[in-house]
């Protein structure tokens, strides 16, 4: 069996002191992992893990390449806004407009005459 490498953890990490008991357990755990990785079974497990990572990376690269291989269609240019439409002709023809204007003029004239008549009555 191969010689076990001695692993030493630091006494403090980021200004926080690590208890001696915890460091010893960590050193044993890491040292055992190194020993396991150096064994034939450990090397096989590492190779399988690396193969899985390579397969995932290849699948991702293939998908990314397939996305870029799609034909590129330029976006449609924006359409200019349509000008507002005038409202539908809800009023009658020109003859009806003339009749309405005459009614408005008559009403305004009557109101002005009544106003002026009251002003004359007050003065006199």
């Amino acid at each position: 069996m191969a010689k076990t490498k001695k692993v030493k953890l630091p006494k403090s990490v980021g200004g926080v002191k690590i208890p001696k008991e915890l460091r010893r357990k960590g050193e044993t755990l890491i040292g055992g992992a190194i020993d396991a990785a150096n064994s034939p079974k450990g090397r096989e497990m590492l190779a399988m893990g690396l193969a899985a990572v390579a397969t995932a990376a290849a699948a991702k690269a293939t998908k990314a390449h397939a996305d870029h291989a799609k034909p590129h269609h330029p976006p449609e240019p924006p359409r200019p806004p349509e000008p507002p439409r005038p409202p539908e002709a809800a009023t009658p023809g020109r003859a009806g407009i003339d009749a309405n204007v005459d009614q408005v003029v008559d009403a305004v004239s009557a109101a002005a005459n009544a106003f002026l008549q009251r002003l004359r009555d007050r003065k006199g």
Side-chain angles (χ1 to χ4, degrees), residues 4-13 18-36:
T4 304
K5 281 192 170 182
K6 181 82 173 170
V7 178
K8 293 204 80 162
L9 293 177
K11 291 184 178 182
S12 65
V13 175
I18 300 174
K20 188 174 192 175
E21 182 179 325
L22 186 60
R23 282 184 308 188
R24 298 292 176 240
K25 287 183 181 180
E27 289 168 357
T28 305
L29 182 64
I30 292 172
I34 291 173
D35 288 341

Side-chain angles (χ1 to χ4, degrees), residues 88-111:
E88 296 288 327
T91 57
R94 182 75 185 154
I97 291 174
D98 290 339
N100 289 339
V101 170
D102 289 341
Q103 290 174 353
V104 170
V105 169
D106 290 341
V108 170
S109 296

Side-chain angles (χ1 to χ4, degrees), residues 29-92:
L29 182 64
I30 292 172
I34 291 173
D35 288 341
N38 284 331
S39 70
K41 184 73 173 171
R43 288 182 183 149
E44 183 181 346
M45 290 175 67
L46 285 172
M48 289 173 57
L50 289 173
V53 169
T55 303
K60 187 174 182 179
T62 303
K63 182 179 181 286
H65 180 66
D67 289 343
H68 291 299
K70 291 181 183 176
H72 177 65
H73 298 289
E76 291 185 23
R79 294 182 181 173
E82 293 184 21
R85 294 183 183 178
E88 296 288 327
T91 57

